[in-house]
Amino acid sequence: MVLLDTGARPGVELLHLTWNKVVEHKIEPSVVPAGTYDGEIDEPQTVHDLRRSVTLTVSGKTGRRDIVGMQRTVDALREIGRRNYLNRPGNCGGPIL
């Protein structure tokens, strides 16, 4: 999933990726009207779209570069983090990404 979302080259670029080369960005939520104003609440109902992205610093055949992954990459990295670190003894239980 990360290869498709970021355009990373298969092989060396992601094989040497470590957690300290991952930077998460929170994109401001976009507010979209979800319904009509019914007069009983102060404002119309809204839907919040909380999208996130990450920047991965990789190096491969063309040298060091930054690649950007959107929500699918964030989800994939969270799943890898949960699978590898969440159930280990001594885990502090903090959020992963």
Side-chain angles (χ1 to χ4, degrees):
M1 186 61 67
V2 175
L3 284 173
L4 294 174
D5 195 40
T6 62
R9 294 180 183 93
V12 177
E13 280 193 340
L14 293 181
L15 288 177
H16 298 294
L17 183 65
T18 58
W19 287 108
N20 64 345
K21 296 179 183 176
V22 176
V23 178
E24 181 185 17
H25 304 283
K26 296 178 184 175
I27 299 174
E28 293 297 320
S30 59
V31 179
V32 180
T36 58
Y37 179 70
D38 63 5
E40 293 186 18
I41 55 175
D42 293 337
E43 58 188 50
Q45 295 180 355
T46 56
V47 175
H48 297 276
D49 186 12
L50 300 174
R51 298 206 176 264
R52 296 172 185 252
S53 66
V54 292
T55 301
L56 310 172
T57 303
V58 297
S59 61
K61 75 176 192 180
T62 60
R64 184 175 170 212
R65 67 185 183 118
D66 292 334
I67 55 177
V68 177
M70 297 308 286
Q71 188 65 47
R72 289 184 288 180
T73 300
V74 172
D75 294 341
L77 291 173
R78 274 196 189 125
E79 181 56 35
I80 292 168
R82 277 191 209 106
R83 184 176 62 227
N84 291 341
Y85 302 109
L86 199 57
N87 295 324
R88 286 190 174 180
N91 179 28
C92 64
I96 298 173
L97 287 185

